[in-house]
Amino acid sequence: QLGGDQKLLTASCQDDAGPPLKSFLFDAGADRFEAYAAFCRKALEHVRDAFPRARLDDRIAVAVPDAAFRDALLARRPFPAFETKTAAEASARLPGVSDDGSKEWLLVDTVDHLDGLERLVVVCCGLDKKIDDAAPDTAARRSTLYRAVTRAHLMVVVVNEFVRGGWLEFLGSVRLRENETFDAAAELAR
Protein backbone atom coordinates (compact mmCIF):
# COMPACT_ATOMS: atom_id res chain seq x y z
CA GLN A 1 0.00 0.00 0.00
CA LEU A 2 1.34 3.38 -0.96
CA GLY A 3 1.41 6.07 1.70
CA GLY A 4 1.91 9.85 1.89
CA ASP A 5 2.28 11.61 -1.45
CA GLN A 6 2.63 8.23 -3.15
CA LYS A 7 -1.11 7.59 -2.54
CA LEU A 8 -1.62 9.68 -5.65
CA LEU A 9 0.19 7.07 -7.75
CA THR A 10 -2.55 4.48 -7.21
CA ALA A 11 -4.79 4.53 -10.28
CA SER A 12 -6.71 2.11 -12.44
CA CYS A 13 -6.74 1.44 -16.16
CA GLN A 14 -9.93 3.51 -16.36
CA ASP A 15 -8.05 6.50 -14.86
CA ASP A 16 -10.10 6.33 -11.67
CA ALA A 17 -8.49 7.16 -8.37
CA GLY A 18 -7.64 3.87 -6.72
CA PRO A 19 -7.83 0.30 -7.86
CA PRO A 20 -11.04 -0.83 -9.58
CA LEU A 21 -13.33 -2.84 -7.34
CA LYS A 22 -17.01 -3.41 -7.88
CA SER A 23 -19.08 -5.16 -5.25
CA PHE A 24 -22.42 -6.94 -5.45
CA LEU A 25 -23.49 -7.57 -1.86
CA PHE A 26 -26.96 -8.98 -1.31
CA ASP A 27 -29.23 -10.51 1.32
CA ALA A 28 -29.51 -14.22 0.63
CA GLY A 29 -33.00 -15.58 0.32
CA ALA A 30 -34.36 -19.11 0.50
CA ASP A 31 -32.09 -20.33 -2.30
CA ARG A 32 -28.79 -18.59 -1.67
CA PHE A 33 -27.13 -20.17 -4.71
CA GLU A 34 -29.86 -18.86 -7.00
CA ALA A 35 -29.06 -15.38 -5.60
CA TYR A 36 -25.35 -15.97 -6.18
CA ALA A 37 -26.09 -17.05 -9.76
CA ALA A 38 -28.16 -13.92 -10.42
CA PHE A 39 -25.50 -11.60 -9.03
CA CYS A 40 -22.72 -13.44 -10.87
CA ARG A 41 -24.62 -12.72 -14.09
CA LYS A 42 -24.77 -9.03 -13.08
CA ALA A 43 -21.04 -9.10 -12.31
CA LEU A 44 -20.24 -10.41 -15.79
CA GLU A 45 -22.51 -7.77 -17.33
CA HIS A 46 -20.49 -5.17 -15.41
CA VAL A 47 -17.25 -6.62 -16.79
CA ARG A 48 -18.61 -6.62 -20.35
CA ASP A 49 -19.73 -2.99 -19.91
CA ALA A 50 -16.29 -2.02 -18.57
CA PHE A 51 -14.49 -3.70 -21.48
CA PRO A 52 -17.02 -3.60 -24.33
CA ARG A 53 -14.64 -4.48 -27.17
CA ALA A 54 -12.44 -6.95 -25.30
CA ARG A 55 -12.53 -10.65 -26.06
CA LEU A 56 -13.00 -12.20 -22.63
CA ASP A 57 -12.20 -15.77 -23.60
CA ASP A 58 -10.25 -17.30 -20.67
CA ARG A 59 -9.58 -13.84 -19.21
CA ILE A 60 -11.99 -14.02 -16.27
CA ALA A 61 -11.68 -16.21 -13.20
CA VAL A 62 -14.48 -16.79 -10.71
CA ALA A 63 -12.90 -17.70 -7.39
CA VAL A 64 -15.08 -19.73 -5.02
CA PRO A 65 -14.35 -21.07 -1.51
CA ASP A 66 -14.66 -24.81 -2.15
CA ALA A 67 -15.76 -27.49 -4.61
CA ALA A 68 -19.22 -27.90 -3.02
CA PHE A 69 -19.87 -24.17 -3.49
CA ARG A 70 -18.65 -24.37 -7.11
CA ASP A 71 -20.92 -27.32 -7.88
CA ALA A 72 -23.98 -25.71 -6.25
CA LEU A 73 -23.36 -22.45 -8.11
CA LEU A 74 -22.82 -24.09 -11.50
CA ALA A 75 -25.97 -26.18 -11.03
CA ARG A 76 -27.91 -22.86 -11.34
CA ARG A 77 -26.27 -22.15 -14.74
CA PRO A 78 -25.12 -18.61 -13.92
CA PHE A 79 -22.89 -18.27 -17.00
CA PRO A 80 -24.93 -19.35 -20.03
CA ALA A 81 -22.79 -17.39 -22.52
CA PHE A 82 -19.60 -19.10 -21.35
CA GLU A 83 -18.18 -22.57 -21.23
CA THR A 84 -16.97 -23.04 -17.66
CA LYS A 85 -13.61 -24.68 -17.01
CA THR A 86 -11.58 -25.61 -13.96
CA ALA A 87 -8.12 -24.16 -13.40
CA ALA A 88 -6.53 -27.40 -14.60
CA GLU A 89 -8.58 -27.42 -17.82
CA ALA A 90 -7.87 -23.76 -18.53
CA SER A 91 -4.15 -24.22 -17.83
CA ALA A 92 -3.95 -27.10 -20.31
CA ARG A 93 -5.12 -24.90 -23.17
CA LEU A 94 -2.54 -23.26 -25.40
CA PRO A 95 -2.86 -19.45 -25.49
CA GLY A 96 -4.56 -18.18 -28.63
CA VAL A 97 -5.80 -21.63 -29.63
CA SER A 98 -9.53 -22.09 -29.35
CA ASP A 99 -11.38 -25.36 -29.56
CA ASP A 100 -14.22 -24.68 -31.95
CA GLY A 101 -14.77 -21.01 -31.12
CA SER A 102 -18.38 -21.53 -30.07
CA LYS A 103 -18.25 -20.14 -26.53
CA GLU A 104 -15.73 -18.14 -24.59
CA TRP A 105 -14.12 -19.95 -21.67
CA LEU A 106 -14.69 -18.87 -18.09
CA LEU A 107 -12.50 -20.26 -15.34
CA VAL A 108 -14.54 -21.18 -12.23
CA ASP A 109 -12.61 -22.86 -9.45
CA THR A 110 -11.54 -22.75 -5.83
CA VAL A 111 -9.00 -20.21 -4.67
CA ASP A 112 -6.61 -23.05 -3.81
CA HIS A 113 -6.64 -24.13 -7.46
CA LEU A 114 -6.03 -20.56 -8.66
CA ASP A 115 -2.74 -20.19 -6.79
CA GLY A 116 -0.09 -19.17 -9.30
CA LEU A 117 -2.65 -18.24 -11.98
CA GLU A 118 -3.78 -14.77 -12.96
CA ARG A 119 -6.55 -13.36 -15.13
CA LEU A 120 -7.48 -9.88 -16.30
CA VAL A 121 -10.59 -9.95 -14.12
CA VAL A 122 -11.33 -11.96 -11.00
CA VAL A 123 -14.80 -12.36 -9.53
CA CYS A 124 -14.52 -13.24 -5.83
CA CYS A 125 -17.68 -15.22 -5.16
CA GLY A 126 -18.82 -16.30 -1.69
CA LEU A 127 -15.45 -15.71 -0.02
CA ASP A 128 -16.57 -13.56 2.92
CA LYS A 129 -17.03 -14.93 6.40
CA LYS A 130 -17.72 -13.45 9.81
CA ILE A 131 -14.56 -12.30 11.56
CA ASP A 132 -14.11 -14.32 14.74
CA ASP A 133 -10.65 -13.87 16.20
CA ALA A 134 -11.14 -16.97 18.34
CA ALA A 135 -11.94 -19.21 15.35
CA PRO A 136 -8.99 -21.16 13.97
CA ASP A 137 -9.93 -20.49 10.33
CA THR A 138 -10.20 -16.67 10.54
CA ALA A 139 -6.68 -16.04 9.24
CA ALA A 140 -7.15 -18.68 6.54
CA ARG A 141 -10.37 -17.02 5.30
CA ARG A 142 -8.66 -13.62 5.17
CA SER A 143 -5.81 -15.24 3.25
CA THR A 144 -8.28 -16.83 0.84
CA LEU A 145 -9.86 -13.47 0.05
CA TYR A 146 -6.43 -11.83 -0.36
CA ARG A 147 -5.20 -14.62 -2.65
CA ALA A 148 -8.30 -14.29 -4.84
CA VAL A 149 -8.00 -10.51 -5.16
CA THR A 150 -4.33 -10.72 -6.08
CA ARG A 151 -5.07 -13.02 -9.05
CA ALA A 152 -6.50 -10.02 -10.97
CA HIS A 153 -4.56 -7.85 -13.42
CA LEU A 154 -7.15 -5.13 -14.04
CA MET A 155 -10.35 -5.54 -12.07
CA VAL A 156 -11.83 -7.30 -9.06
CA VAL A 157 -15.55 -7.90 -8.68
CA VAL A 158 -16.95 -9.15 -5.39
CA VAL A 159 -20.18 -11.17 -5.32
CA ASN A 160 -21.22 -12.11 -1.81
CA GLU A 161 -24.19 -12.38 0.46
CA PHE A 162 -24.08 -9.73 3.15
CA VAL A 163 -22.20 -11.10 6.16
CA ARG A 164 -22.64 -8.99 9.29
CA GLY A 165 -19.22 -8.66 10.88
CA GLY A 166 -17.53 -10.04 7.77
CA TRP A 167 -14.42 -8.87 5.98
CA LEU A 168 -16.47 -7.14 3.29
CA GLU A 169 -19.10 -5.53 5.51
CA PHE A 170 -17.60 -2.07 4.96
CA LEU A 171 -18.41 -2.29 1.24
CA GLY A 172 -22.09 -2.03 2.11
CA SER A 173 -21.54 1.55 3.27
CA VAL A 174 -19.14 2.72 0.57
CA ARG A 175 -20.91 4.86 -2.02
CA LEU A 176 -19.65 6.77 -5.03
CA ARG A 177 -20.69 10.40 -5.04
CA GLU A 178 -21.07 11.06 -8.73
CA ASN A 179 -21.45 14.81 -8.19
CA GLU A 180 -17.96 15.07 -6.61
CA THR A 181 -14.49 14.61 -7.99
CA PHE A 182 -11.50 13.14 -6.24
CA ASP A 183 -9.60 15.79 -4.23
CA ALA A 184 -6.05 14.51 -3.75
CA ALA A 185 -5.04 17.29 -1.35
CA ALA A 186 -8.03 16.66 0.91
CA GLU A 187 -7.33 12.90 0.96
CA LEU A 188 -3.68 13.46 1.82
CA ALA A 189 -4.73 15.73 4.69
CA ARG A 190 -7.05 13.06 6.13
Side-chain angles (χ1 to χ4, degrees):
Q1 189 69 18
L2 301 174
D5 289 341
Q6 290 185 328
K7 280 186 192 177
L8 301 177
L9 300 176
T10 304
S12 74
C13 64
Q14 291 112 352
D15 204 25
D16 293 331
L21 173 88
K22 174 69 175 171
S23 61
F24 293 91
L25 299 179
F26 57 91
D27 290 319
D31 185 350
R32 69 187 280 247
F33 287 103
E34 192 58 48
Y36 271 105
F39 281 96
C40 279
R41 282 188 287 276
K42 289 181 187 230
L44 290 183
E45 287 172 20
H46 172 75
V47 172
R48 285 217 184 267
D49 290 346
F51 306 104
R53 294 188 310 252
R55 182 165 160 76
L56 299 176
D57 184 39
D58 200 18
R59 293 185 173 170
I60 303 172
V62 179
V64 297
D66 55 47
F69 188 102
R70 179 186 188 274
D71 294 344
L73 177 65
L74 291 179
R76 274 56 175 199
R77 300 196 32 80
F79 313 112
F82 291 89
E83 186 174 339
T84 59
K85 299 292 181 180
T86 65
E89 292 168 327
S91 295
R93 181 184 196 194
L94 292 173
V97 177
S98 63
D99 295 356
D100 60 4
S102 60
K103 283 189 174 182
E104 294 179 309
W105 282 21
L106 178 71
L107 193 163
V108 182
D109 214 334
T110 65
V111 175
D112 289 341
H113 291 151
L114 296 177
D115 280 344
L117 301 178
E118 295 178 340
R119 291 295 185 269
L120 291 178
V121 177
V122 173
V123 178
C124 300
C125 184
L127 299 180
D128 198 11
K129 190 172 183 180
K130 184 174 177 160
I131 301 168
D132 179 2
D133 292 331
D137 69 338
T138 297
R141 181 56 66 138
R142 185 177 70 192
S143 171
T144 299
L145 186 57
Y146 172 80
R147 286 168 33 225
V149 167
T150 58
R151 303 300 91 210
H153 286 249
L154 293 177
M155 178 184 285
V156 175
V157 182
V158 173
V159 175
N160 217 99
E161 60 194 289
F162 182 75
V163 177
R164 186 164 307 283
W167 293 105
L168 302 173
E169 181 179 30
F170 77 96
L171 291 175
S173 62
V174 175
R175 297 287 180 264
L176 173 66
R177 296 181 191 146
E178 295 195 24
N179 61 339
E180 293 182 23
T181 59
F182 179 71
D183 183 347
E187 291 304 312
L188 286 172
R190 276 187 353 153

